[in-house]
Coordinates of all heavy atoms in Angstrom, one line a residue:
M1 N -15.3 22.5 24.4 CA -15.1 21.2 23.8 C -13.8 20.6 24.2 O -12.8 21.4 24.2 CB -15.2 21.2 22.3 CG -16.6 21.3 21.8 SD -16.8 21.1 20.0 CE -15.6 22.2 19.4
T2 N -13.8 19.4 24.5 CA -12.5 18.8 24.8 C -12.2 17.6 23.8 O -13.2 17.1 23.3 CB -12.5 18.2 26.3 OG1 -13.5 17.2 26.3 CG2 -12.7 19.3 27.3
F3 N -11.0 17.3 23.6 CA -10.7 16.3 22.7 C -10.2 15.1 23.4 O -9.1 15.0 23.9 CB -9.6 16.8 21.7 CG -9.2 15.7 20.7 CD1 -10.0 15.4 19.7 CD2 -7.9 15.1 20.8 CE1 -9.7 14.5 18.7 CE2 -7.6 14.2 19.9 CZ -8.4 13.8 18.9
V4 N -11.1 14.1 23.5 CA -10.7 12.9 24.4 C -11.2 11.7 23.5 O -12.5 11.6 23.1 CB -11.4 12.9 25.7 CG1 -11.2 11.7 26.5 CG2 -11.0 14.1 26.5
L5 N -10.4 10.7 23.3 CA -10.7 9.5 22.7 C -11.0 8.5 23.9 O -10.0 8.3 24.7 CB -9.6 8.9 21.8 CG -9.5 9.6 20.5 CD1 -8.3 9.0 19.8 CD2 -10.7 9.6 19.6
T6 N -12.2 8.1 24.1 CA -12.5 7.2 25.2 C -12.9 5.9 24.8 O -13.5 5.7 23.7 CB -13.6 7.8 26.0 OG1 -14.8 8.0 25.2 CG2 -13.3 9.2 26.6
G7 N -12.6 4.9 25.6 CA -13.1 3.5 25.3 C -12.6 3.0 24.0 O -11.5 2.9 23.6
W8 N -13.6 2.5 23.3 CA -13.4 1.8 22.0 C -12.8 2.8 21.0 O -12.2 2.3 20.0 CB -14.6 1.1 21.5 CG -14.9 -0.1 22.4 CD1 -15.9 -0.2 23.3 CD2 -14.3 -1.4 22.3 NE1 -15.8 -1.5 23.9 CE2 -14.9 -2.2 23.2 CE3 -13.3 -1.9 21.5 CZ2 -14.4 -3.5 23.4 CZ3 -12.9 -3.2 21.7 CH2 -13.4 -4.0 22.6
M9 N -13.1 4.0 21.1 CA -12.6 5.0 20.1 C -11.1 5.0 20.1 O -10.4 5.1 19.1 CB -13.2 6.4 20.3 CG -14.6 6.5 20.1 SD -15.3 8.1 20.7 CE -14.7 9.1 19.3
L10 N -10.5 4.9 21.3 CA -9.0 4.9 21.5 C -8.5 3.7 20.9 O -7.5 3.7 20.2 CB -8.7 5.1 23.0 CG -7.2 5.1 23.3 CD1 -6.5 6.3 22.6 CD2 -7.0 5.1 24.8
Y11 N -9.1 2.5 21.2 CA -8.6 1.2 20.7 C -8.7 1.2 19.2 O -7.8 0.6 18.5 CB -9.3 0.0 21.3 CG -9.2 0.0 22.8 CD1 -10.4 -0.3 23.6 CD2 -8.1 0.3 23.4 CE1 -10.3 -0.3 25.0 CE2 -8.0 0.3 24.8 CZ -9.1 0.0 25.6 OH -9.0 -0.1 26.9
T12 N -9.8 1.8 18.6 CA -9.9 1.8 17.2 C -8.8 2.6 16.6 O -8.2 2.3 15.5 CB -11.3 2.4 16.8 OG1 -12.3 1.7 17.5 CG2 -11.6 2.5 15.3
M13 N -8.5 3.8 17.2 CA -7.4 4.6 16.6 C -6.1 3.9 16.7 O -5.2 4.0 15.8 CB -7.3 6.0 17.3 CG -6.6 7.0 16.6 SD -7.0 7.3 15.0 CE -8.6 8.1 15.1
W14 N -5.8 3.1 17.8 CA -4.6 2.3 17.9 C -4.5 1.3 16.8 O -3.5 1.1 16.2 CB -4.5 1.6 19.2 CG -4.2 2.5 20.4 CD1 -3.8 3.8 20.3 CD2 -4.2 2.1 21.7 NE1 -3.5 4.2 21.6 CE2 -3.8 3.2 22.5 CE3 -4.6 0.9 22.4 CZ2 -3.7 3.2 23.9 CZ3 -4.5 0.9 23.8 CH2 -4.1 2.0 24.5
V15 N -5.6 0.7 16.5 CA -5.7 -0.3 15.4 C -5.4 0.3 14.0 O -4.6 -0.2 13.3 CB -7.1 -1.1 15.3 CG1 -7.2 -1.8 14.1 CG2 -7.2 -2.0 16.5
L16 N -6.0 1.5 13.8 CA -5.7 2.2 12.5 C -4.2 2.6 12.4 O -3.6 2.4 11.4 CB -6.5 3.5 12.5 CG -8.0 3.2 12.2 CD1 -8.8 4.5 12.1 CD2 -8.2 2.3 11.0
F17 N -3.6 3.2 13.5 CA -2.2 3.5 13.4 C -1.3 2.3 13.3 O -0.3 2.3 12.7 CB -1.8 4.4 14.6 CG -2.2 5.8 14.5 CD1 -3.0 6.4 15.4 CD2 -1.9 6.5 13.3 CE1 -3.3 7.8 15.3 CE2 -2.2 7.8 13.1 CZ -2.9 8.5 14.2
G18 N -1.7 1.2 13.9 CA -1.0 -0.1 13.8 C -1.0 -0.6 12.4 O 0.0 -1.0 11.8
L19 N -2.2 -0.5 11.7 CA -2.3 -1.0 10.3 C -1.5 -0.1 9.4 O -0.9 -0.5 8.5 CB -3.8 -1.0 9.9 CG -4.6 -2.1 10.5 CD1 -6.1 -2.0 10.2 CD2 -4.0 -3.5 10.0
M20 N -1.5 1.3 9.7 CA -0.8 2.2 8.9 C 0.7 1.9 9.1 O 1.5 2.0 8.1 CB -1.1 3.6 9.3 CG -2.4 4.2 8.9 SD -2.7 5.8 9.4 CE -1.7 6.7 8.3
G21 N 1.1 1.6 10.3 CA 2.6 1.3 10.5 C 3.0 0.0 9.8 O 4.1 0.0 9.2
L22 N 2.2 -1.0 9.9 CA 2.5 -2.3 9.2 C 2.5 -2.1 7.7 O 3.4 -2.6 7.0 CB 1.5 -3.3 9.6 CG 1.6 -4.0 10.9 CD1 0.4 -4.9 11.2 CD2 2.9 -4.7 11.0
S23 N 1.6 -1.3 7.2 CA 1.6 -1.1 5.7 C 2.8 -0.2 5.3 O 3.4 -0.5 4.2 CB 0.3 -0.3 5.3 OG 0.2 0.0 4.0
F24 N 3.2 0.7 6.2 CA 4.4 1.5 5.8 C 5.6 0.6 5.8 O 6.5 0.7 4.9 CB 4.5 2.6 6.8 CG 5.8 3.4 6.7 CD1 6.0 4.3 5.6 CD2 6.9 3.2 7.5 CE1 7.1 5.0 5.4 CE2 8.1 3.9 7.3 CZ 8.2 4.8 6.3
L25 N 5.8 -0.3 6.8 CA 6.9 -1.2 6.9 C 6.9 -2.1 5.7 O 8.1 -2.4 5.2 CB 6.9 -1.9 8.2 CG 7.3 -1.1 9.4 CD1 7.1 -1.9 10.7 CD2 8.6 -0.5 9.3
L26 N 5.8 -2.6 5.3 CA 5.7 -3.5 4.1 C 6.2 -2.7 2.8 O 6.9 -3.2 2.0 CB 4.3 -4.1 3.9 CG 4.0 -5.3 4.8 CD1 2.5 -5.6 4.6 CD2 4.9 -6.4 4.5
G27 N 5.6 -1.5 2.7 CA 6.0 -0.7 1.6 C 7.5 -0.4 1.6 O 8.2 -0.3 0.5
L28 N 8.0 -0.1 2.8 CA 9.5 0.2 2.9 C 10.3 -1.0 2.6 O 11.3 -0.9 1.8 CB 9.8 0.7 4.3 CG 11.2 1.1 4.6 CD1 11.6 2.3 3.8 CD2 11.4 1.4 6.1
Y29 N 9.9 -2.2 3.0 CA 10.6 -3.4 2.7 C 10.6 -3.7 1.2 O 11.6 -4.0 0.6 CB 10.0 -4.6 3.4 CG 10.6 -5.9 3.1 CD1 11.8 -6.3 3.5 CD2 9.9 -6.8 2.2 CE1 12.4 -7.5 3.1 CE2 10.4 -8.0 1.9 CZ 11.7 -8.4 2.4 OH 12.2 -9.5 2.0
R30 N 9.4 -3.5 0.6 CA 9.3 -3.7 -0.9 C 10.2 -2.7 -1.6 O 10.8 -3.0 -2.6 CB 7.8 -3.5 -1.4 CG 7.0 -4.7 -1.1 CD 7.3 -5.7 -2.2 NE 6.5 -6.9 -1.9 CZ 6.8 -8.1 -2.3 NH1 7.9 -8.3 -2.9 NH2 6.0 -9.1 -2.1
A31 N 10.2 -1.4 -1.2 CA 11.0 -0.4 -1.9 C 12.4 -0.7 -1.8 O 13.2 -0.5 -2.7 CB 10.7 0.9 -1.3
L32 N 12.9 -1.2 -0.6 CA 14.4 -1.5 -0.4 C 14.7 -2.8 -1.2 O 15.8 -2.8 -1.8 CB 14.6 -1.7 1.1 CG 14.6 -0.4 1.9 CD1 14.8 -0.7 3.4 CD2 15.6 0.6 1.4
V33 N 13.9 -3.8 -1.3 CA 14.1 -5.0 -2.0 C 14.2 -4.7 -3.5 O 15.0 -5.1 -4.2 CB 13.1 -6.1 -1.7 CG1 13.2 -7.2 -2.7 CG2 13.3 -6.6 -0.3
D34 N 13.2 -3.9 -4.0 CA 13.2 -3.6 -5.4 C 14.1 -2.4 -5.8 O 14.3 -2.1 -7.0 CB 11.7 -3.2 -5.9 CG 10.8 -4.3 -5.7 OD1 11.2 -5.5 -5.7 OD2 9.6 -4.0 -5.6
K35 N 14.8 -1.8 -4.8 CA 15.7 -0.7 -5.0 C 15.0 0.5 -5.7 O 15.5 1.1 -6.6 CB 16.9 -1.1 -5.7 CG 17.8 -2.2 -4.9 CD 19.0 -2.6 -5.6 CE 19.7 -3.7 -4.8 NZ 20.7 -4.4 -5.5
K36 N 13.8 0.8 -5.2 CA 13.0 1.9 -5.7 C 12.5 2.8 -4.7 O 11.4 3.3 -4.7 CB 11.8 1.3 -6.5 CG 12.2 0.6 -7.8 CD 10.9 0.0 -8.5 CE 11.2 -0.8 -9.6 NZ 10.0 -1.4 -10.3
F37 N 13.4 3.1 -3.8 CA 13.1 4.0 -2.6 C 12.9 5.4 -3.1 O 13.8 5.9 -3.8 CB 14.1 3.9 -1.5 CG 13.7 4.6 -0.3 CD1 12.7 4.1 0.6 CD2 14.3 5.8 0.0 CE1 12.4 4.9 1.7 CE2 14.0 6.6 1.1 CZ 13.0 6.0 2.0
S38 N 11.8 6.1 -2.7 CA 11.6 7.5 -3.0 C 10.9 8.2 -1.9 O 10.3 7.5 -1.0 CB 10.9 7.7 -4.4 OG 9.6 7.2 -4.2
S39 N 10.9 9.4 -1.9 CA 10.3 10.2 -0.8 C 8.7 10.1 -0.9 O 8.1 10.4 0.1 CB 10.7 11.7 -0.9 OG 10.2 12.3 -2.1
S40 N 8.2 9.7 -2.0 CA 6.8 9.6 -2.2 C 6.2 8.5 -1.2 O 5.1 8.6 -0.8 CB 6.3 9.2 -3.6 OG 6.8 7.9 -3.9
L41 N 7.1 7.5 -0.8 CA 6.6 6.5 0.2 C 6.1 7.2 1.5 O 5.1 6.9 2.0 CB 7.8 5.5 0.5 CG 7.5 4.4 1.5 CD1 6.5 3.5 0.9 CD2 8.8 3.7 1.8
V42 N 7.0 8.1 2.0 CA 6.7 8.8 3.2 C 5.6 9.8 3.0 O 4.7 10.0 3.9 CB 8.0 9.5 3.8 CG1 7.6 10.3 5.0 CG2 9.0 8.4 4.1
L43 N 5.6 10.5 1.9 CA 4.6 11.5 1.7 C 3.2 11.0 1.5 O 2.2 11.6 1.9 CB 5.0 12.3 0.4 CG 6.3 13.2 0.6 CD1 6.7 13.9 -0.7 CD2 6.2 14.2 1.7
D44 N 3.1 9.8 0.9 CA 1.8 9.1 0.8 C 1.2 8.9 2.2 O -0.1 9.0 2.4 CB 1.9 7.9 0.1 CG 2.1 8.1 -1.5 OD1 1.8 9.2 -1.9 OD2 2.6 7.2 -2.1
Y45 N 2.0 8.5 3.1 CA 1.5 8.2 4.5 C 1.1 9.5 5.2 O 0.1 9.5 6.0 CB 2.4 7.4 5.3 CG 2.3 6.0 4.9 CD1 3.2 5.5 3.9 CD2 1.3 5.1 5.3 CE1 3.1 4.2 3.5 CE2 1.2 3.9 4.8 CZ 2.1 3.3 3.9 OH 2.0 2.1 3.4
L46 N 1.8 10.6 5.0 CA 1.4 11.9 5.5 C 0.1 12.3 4.9 O -0.7 12.9 5.6 CB 2.5 12.9 5.3 CG 3.8 12.6 6.1 CD1 4.9 13.7 5.7 CD2 3.6 12.7 7.6
K47 N -0.1 12.1 3.7 CA -1.3 12.5 3.0 C -2.4 11.6 3.6 O -3.6 12.2 3.8 CB -1.2 12.3 1.5 CG -2.4 12.6 0.7 CD -2.2 12.4 -0.8 CE -2.1 10.9 -1.0 NZ -2.1 10.4 -2.3
D48 N -2.2 10.4 3.8 CA -3.3 9.5 4.4 C -3.6 9.9 5.7 O -4.8 9.9 6.2 CB -2.8 8.0 4.4 CG -2.8 7.4 3.0 OD1 -3.3 8.0 2.0 OD2 -2.2 6.3 2.9
V49 N -2.7 10.4 6.5 CA -3.0 10.9 7.9 C -3.9 12.1 7.7 O -4.9 12.3 8.5 CB -1.8 11.2 8.7 CG1 -2.1 12.0 9.9 CG2 -1.0 10.0 9.1
L50 N -3.7 13.0 6.8 CA -4.4 14.2 6.6 C -5.9 13.9 6.1 O -6.8 14.4 6.5 CB -3.7 15.1 5.6 CG -4.4 16.4 5.4 CD1 -4.5 17.3 6.6 CD2 -3.7 17.2 4.3
Y51 N -5.9 12.9 5.1 CA -7.2 12.6 4.5 C -8.1 11.6 5.3 O -9.3 11.7 5.1 CB -7.0 12.0 3.1 CG -6.5 13.0 2.1 CD1 -5.9 12.6 0.9 CD2 -6.6 14.4 2.3 CE1 -5.5 13.5 -0.1 CE2 -6.1 15.3 1.4 CZ -5.6 14.8 0.2 OH -5.1 15.7 -0.8
Y52 N -7.5 10.7 6.0 CA -8.3 9.7 6.6 C -8.3 9.8 8.2 O -9.4 9.5 8.7 CB -7.7 8.3 6.3 CG -7.6 8.0 4.8 CD1 -6.5 7.5 4.2 CD2 -8.8 8.2 4.0 CE1 -6.5 7.2 2.8 CE2 -8.8 7.9 2.7 CZ -7.7 7.4 2.1 OH -7.7 7.1 0.8
V53 N -7.2 10.1 8.8 CA -7.2 10.1 10.2 C -7.7 11.4 10.8 O -8.4 11.4 11.8 CB -5.8 9.8 10.8 CG1 -5.7 9.9 12.2 CG2 -5.4 8.4 10.3
L54 N -7.3 12.5 10.2 CA -7.8 13.8 10.8 C -9.3 14.0 10.7 O -9.9 14.4 11.8 CB -7.1 15.0 9.9 CG -7.5 16.4 10.4 CD1 -6.9 16.6 11.9 CD2 -6.9 17.4 9.5
P55 N -10.0 13.5 9.7 CA -11.5 13.6 9.8 C -12.0 12.7 11.0 O -13.1 13.1 11.6 CB -12.0 13.1 8.5 CG -10.8 13.4 7.5 CD -9.6 13.2 8.3
L56 N -11.4 11.6 11.3 CA -11.8 10.8 12.4 C -11.6 11.5 13.7 O -12.4 11.5 14.6 CB -11.1 9.5 12.4 CG -11.5 8.5 11.3 CD1 -10.6 7.3 11.3 CD2 -12.9 8.2 11.3
F57 N -10.5 12.3 13.8 CA -10.3 13.1 15.0 C -11.3 14.2 15.1 O -11.7 14.6 16.2 CB -8.9 13.7 15.1 CG -7.8 12.7 15.5 CD1 -6.7 12.5 14.8 CD2 -8.0 12.0 16.7 CE1 -5.7 11.6 15.2 CE2 -7.0 11.1 17.1 CZ -5.8 10.9 16.4
V58 N -11.7 14.8 14.0 CA -12.7 15.8 14.1 C -14.0 15.3 14.5 O -14.8 15.9 15.3 CB -12.8 16.5 12.6 CG1 -14.0 17.4 12.6 CG2 -11.5 17.3 12.3
L59 N -14.4 14.1 14.0 CA -15.6 13.5 14.4 C -15.5 13.1 15.9 O -16.5 13.3 16.7 CB -15.9 12.2 13.6 CG -16.5 12.3 12.3 CD1 -16.6 11.0 11.6 CD2 -17.9 12.9 12.4
A60 N -14.4 12.7 16.4 CA -14.3 12.4 17.8 C -14.4 13.7 18.6 O -14.9 13.6 19.7 CB -12.9 11.8 18.1
N61 N -14.0 14.8 18.1 CA -14.0 16.0 18.8 C -15.5 16.6 18.9 O -15.8 17.2 19.9 CB -13.1 17.0 18.2 CG -12.9 18.2 19.1 OD1 -13.1 18.2 20.2 ND2 -12.5 19.3 18.4
V62 N -16.3 16.3 17.9 CA -17.7 16.9 17.9 C -18.7 15.9 18.4 O -19.9 16.2 18.3 CB -18.0 17.5 16.6 CG1 -17.1 18.6 16.2 CG2 -18.0 16.4 15.5
V63 N -18.3 14.7 18.8 CA -19.3 13.7 19.3 C -20.0 14.3 20.5 O -21.2 14.0 20.7 CB -18.5 12.4 19.7 CG1 -19.4 11.5 20.7 CG2 -18.2 11.6 18.5
S64 N -19.4 15.1 21.3 CA -20.1 15.7 22.4 C -21.2 16.7 22.0 O -22.1 16.9 22.8 CB -19.1 16.4 23.3 OG -18.5 17.6 22.6
L65 N -21.2 17.1 20.8 CA -22.3 18.0 20.3 C -23.5 17.2 19.8 O -24.6 17.9 19.6 CB -21.8 18.9 19.2 CG -20.6 19.8 19.5 CD1 -20.2 20.6 18.3 CD2 -21.0 20.8 20.6
D66 N -23.4 16.0 19.6 CA -24.5 15.1 19.2 C -25.4 14.9 20.3 O -25.0 14.1 21.3 CB -23.9 13.8 18.6 CG -25.0 13.0 17.9 OD1 -26.1 13.4 17.7 OD2 -24.7 11.7 17.8
Y67 N -26.6 15.4 20.2 CA -27.6 15.2 21.3 C -28.1 13.7 21.4 O -28.6 13.3 22.4 CB -28.8 16.1 21.2 CG -29.7 15.9 20.0 CD1 -30.8 15.1 20.2 CD2 -29.5 16.4 18.8 CE1 -31.7 14.8 19.1 CE2 -30.3 16.2 17.7 CZ -31.4 15.4 17.9 OH -32.2 15.2 16.8
T68 N -28.0 12.9 20.3 CA -28.5 11.5 20.4 C -27.4 10.7 21.0 O -27.6 9.7 21.6 CB -28.8 11.0 19.0 OG1 -27.7 11.0 18.2 CG2 -29.9 11.8 18.4
G69 N -26.1 11.1 20.7 CA -25.0 10.3 21.3 C -24.6 9.1 20.4 O -23.6 8.5 20.7
Y70 N -25.3 9.0 19.3 CA -25.0 7.8 18.5 C -24.7 8.1 17.0 O -24.0 7.3 16.4 CB -26.2 6.8 18.5 CG -26.4 6.2 19.9 CD1 -27.5 6.5 20.6 CD2 -25.5 5.2 20.4 CE1 -27.7 6.1 21.9 CE2 -25.7 4.7 21.6 CZ -26.8 5.1 22.3 OH -27.0 4.6 23.6
L71 N -25.1 9.2 16.5 CA -25.0 9.5 15.1 C -23.5 9.7 14.7 O -23.0 9.0 13.8 CB -25.8 10.7 14.7 CG -27.3 10.6 14.7 CD1 -28.0 11.9 14.5 CD2 -27.7 9.5 13.8
L72 N -22.8 10.6 15.4 CA -21.5 10.9 15.1 C -20.5 9.7 15.6 O -19.5 9.4 15.0 CB -21.0 12.2 15.7 CG -21.6 13.4 15.1 CD1 -21.2 14.6 15.9 CD2 -21.3 13.5 13.6
L73 N -20.9 9.0 16.6 CA -20.2 7.9 17.1 C -20.2 6.7 16.0 O -19.2 6.1 15.7 CB -20.7 7.4 18.4 CG -19.9 6.4 19.2 CD1 -18.5 7.0 19.6 CD2 -20.6 6.0 20.4
G74 N -21.4 6.6 15.4 CA -21.6 5.6 14.4 C -20.7 6.0 13.2 O -20.1 5.1 12.5
A75 N -20.8 7.3 12.8 CA -20.0 7.7 11.7 C -18.5 7.5 11.9 O -17.7 7.2 11.0 CB -20.3 9.2 11.4
Y76 N -18.0 7.7 13.2 CA -16.6 7.5 13.5 C -16.2 6.0 13.3 O -15.2 5.8 12.6 CB -16.4 7.9 15.0 CG -15.0 7.6 15.5 CD1 -14.0 8.5 15.3 CD2 -14.7 6.4 16.1 CE1 -12.7 8.3 15.7 CE2 -13.4 6.2 16.6 CZ -12.5 7.1 16.4 OH -11.1 6.9 16.8
Y77 N -17.1 5.1 13.8 CA -16.7 3.7 13.6 C -16.8 3.2 12.2 O -16.1 2.4 11.7 CB -17.6 2.8 14.5 CG -17.2 3.0 16.0 CD1 -18.1 3.4 16.9 CD2 -15.9 2.7 16.4 CE1 -17.8 3.6 18.2 CE2 -15.5 2.9 17.7 CZ -16.5 3.3 18.6 OH -16.1 3.4 19.9
V78 N -17.8 3.7 11.4 CA -18.0 3.3 10.0 C -16.8 3.9 9.2 O -16.1 3.2 8.4 CB -19.3 3.9 9.4 CG1 -19.2 3.8 7.9 CG2 -20.5 3.1 10.0
G79 N -16.3 5.1 9.5 CA -15.1 5.7 8.9 C -13.9 4.9 9.2 O -13.0 4.6 8.4
A80 N -13.7 4.5 10.5 CA -12.6 3.8 10.9 C -12.5 2.4 10.3 O -11.5 1.9 9.9 CB -12.5 3.7 12.4
F81 N -13.7 1.8 10.2 CA -13.8 0.4 9.5 C -13.4 0.5 8.0 O -12.6 -0.3 7.6 CB -15.2 -0.1 9.7 CG -15.4 -1.5 9.1 CD1 -14.8 -2.6 9.7 CD2 -16.1 -1.7 8.0 CE1 -15.0 -3.8 9.2 CE2 -16.2 -3.0 7.5 CZ -15.7 -4.0 8.0
G82 N -13.8 1.6 7.4 CA -13.4 1.8 6.0 C -11.9 2.0 5.8 O -11.3 1.5 4.9
V83 N -11.3 2.8 6.7 CA -9.9 3.0 6.7 C -9.1 1.7 6.9 O -8.1 1.4 6.3 CB -9.4 4.2 7.6 CG1 -7.9 4.3 7.7 CG2 -10.1 5.4 7.2
A84 N -9.6 0.9 7.9 CA -8.9 -0.3 8.2 C -9.0 -1.3 7.0 O -8.0 -2.0 6.7 CB -9.6 -0.9 9.4
L85 N -10.2 -1.3 6.3 CA -10.3 -2.2 5.1 C -9.4 -1.7 4.0 O -8.7 -2.5 3.3 CB -11.7 -2.2 4.6 CG -12.7 -3.0 5.4 CD1 -14.1 -2.9 4.8 CD2 -12.3 -4.4 5.5
K86 N -9.2 -0.4 3.9 CA -8.3 0.2 2.9 C -6.9 -0.3 3.1 O -6.2 -0.7 2.2 CB -8.4 1.7 2.9 CG -7.4 2.3 1.9 CD -6.8 3.6 2.4 CE -5.9 4.3 1.5 NZ -4.6 3.7 1.4
Y87 N -6.4 -0.2 4.4 CA -5.0 -0.6 4.7 C -4.9 -2.1 4.6 O -3.8 -2.6 4.2 CB -4.6 0.0 6.1 CG -4.1 1.4 5.9 CD1 -4.9 2.4 6.3 CD2 -3.0 1.7 5.3 CE1 -4.5 3.7 6.2 CE2 -2.5 3.0 5.1 CZ -3.3 4.0 5.6 OH -2.9 5.3 5.3
L88 N -5.9 -2.9 5.0 CA -5.8 -4.3 4.8 C -5.6 -4.7 3.3 O -4.9 -5.6 2.9 CB -6.9 -5.0 5.5 CG -7.0 -5.0 7.0 CD1 -8.3 -5.6 7.5 CD2 -5.8 -5.8 7.5
G89 N -6.4 -4.0 2.5 CA -6.3 -4.2 1.1 C -4.9 -3.8 0.5 O -4.4 -4.5 -0.4
D90 N -4.4 -2.7 1.0 CA -3.1 -2.2 0.5 C -2.1 -3.2 0.9 O -1.1 -3.5 0.1 CB -2.8 -0.9 1.1 CG -3.6 0.2 0.5 OD1 -4.2 0.0 -0.6 OD2 -3.5 1.4 1.0
M91 N -2.1 -3.8 2.1 CA -1.2 -4.8 2.6 C -1.2 -6.0 1.8 O -0.2 -6.7 1.4 CB -1.3 -5.0 4.1 CG -0.8 -3.9 4.9 SD -0.7 -4.4 6.7 CE -2.4 -4.3 7.1
K92 N -2.5 -6.5 1.4 CA -2.7 -7.7 0.6 C -2.0 -7.4 -0.8 O -1.3 -8.3 -1.3 CB -4.1 -7.9 0.4 CG -4.4 -9.2 -0.4 CD -5.9 -9.4 -0.5 CE -6.2 -10.6 -1.4 NZ -7.6 -10.8 -1.6
K93 N -2.1 -6.2 -1.3 CA -1.5 -6.0 -2.7 C 0.0 -6.0 -2.5 O 0.7 -6.4 -3.5 CB -2.0 -4.6 -3.2 CG -3.4 -4.6 -3.7 CD -3.8 -3.2 -4.1 CE -5.2 -3.1 -4.4 NZ -5.6 -1.6 -4.7
K94 N 0.5 -5.5 -1.4 CA 2.0 -5.4 -1.3 C 2.6 -6.8 -1.1 O 3.8 -7.0 -1.4 CB 2.4 -4.5 -0.1 CG 2.1 -3.0 -0.4 CD 2.4 -2.2 0.7 CE 2.0 -0.7 0.5 NZ 2.2 0.1 1.7
L95 N 1.8 -7.7 -0.5 CA 2.3 -9.0 -0.2 C 2.3 -9.9 -1.5 O 3.1 -10.9 -1.6 CB 1.6 -9.7 0.9 CG 1.9 -9.2 2.3 CD1 0.9 -9.8 3.3 CD2 3.3 -9.4 2.7
L96 N 1.4 -9.6 -2.4 CA 1.3 -10.5 -3.6 C 2.1 -9.9 -4.7 O 2.7 -9.1 -5.0 CB -0.2 -10.5 -4.0 CG -1.1 -11.1 -3.1 CD1 -2.5 -11.1 -3.6 CD2 -0.8 -12.6 -2.8

């Protein structure tokens, strides 16, 4: 098995990491403005990488085992869409 993100899978992962980065920067800005900076800000993002991004990498790794070629690929995109919605909602809360 090889670990390769190809085509739209790679672009999807870039979008997720971009949204994670923007959400982190908004949280960092809020923490600095409110003077409530703590290490939990960074630790929450490390936890999110473990809980949300790592399973997507595992799905990407086992896509080659799917004989239909669509089941795990669909699961990857549904999961990525859910993570993107989560971060968009988090950014909306931080802006309001």
Side-chain angles (χ1 to χ4, degrees):
M1 284 191 306
T2 61
F3 181 70
V4 177
L5 290 175
T6 58
W8 286 102
M9 293 174 77
L10 180 64
Y11 302 137
T12 304
M13 195 56 69
W14 284 351
V15 167
L16 290 182
F17 280 127
L19 288 173
M20 285 180 78
L22 283 175
S23 179
F24 176 75
L25 290 176
L26 281 173
L28 182 64
Y29 175 74
R30 280 286 182 205
L32 292 175
V33 167
D34 296 340
K35 297 180 183 167
K36 296 181 182 177
F37 184 77
S38 69
S39 63
S40 67
L41 177 70
V42 175
L43 294 176
D44 287 341
Y45 284 96
L46 291 175
K47 182 181 67 170
D48 287 350
V49 168
L50 181 65
Y51 288 164
Y52 301 130
V53 176
L54 183 64
L56 291 175
F57 279 129
V58 170
L59 280 175
N61 196 20
V62 296
V63 162
S64 62
L65 299 176
D66 183 17
Y67 68 93
T68 63
Y70 295 106
L71 293 175
L72 291 176
L73 194 61
Y76 176 84
Y77 288 121
V78 168
F81 183 71
V83 174
L85 285 179
K86 179 214 179 290
Y87 276 105
L88 288 173
D90 287 351
M91 285 190 286
K92 182 180 176 183
K93 288 178 189 175
K94 288 177 185 176
L95 288 174
L96 297 177

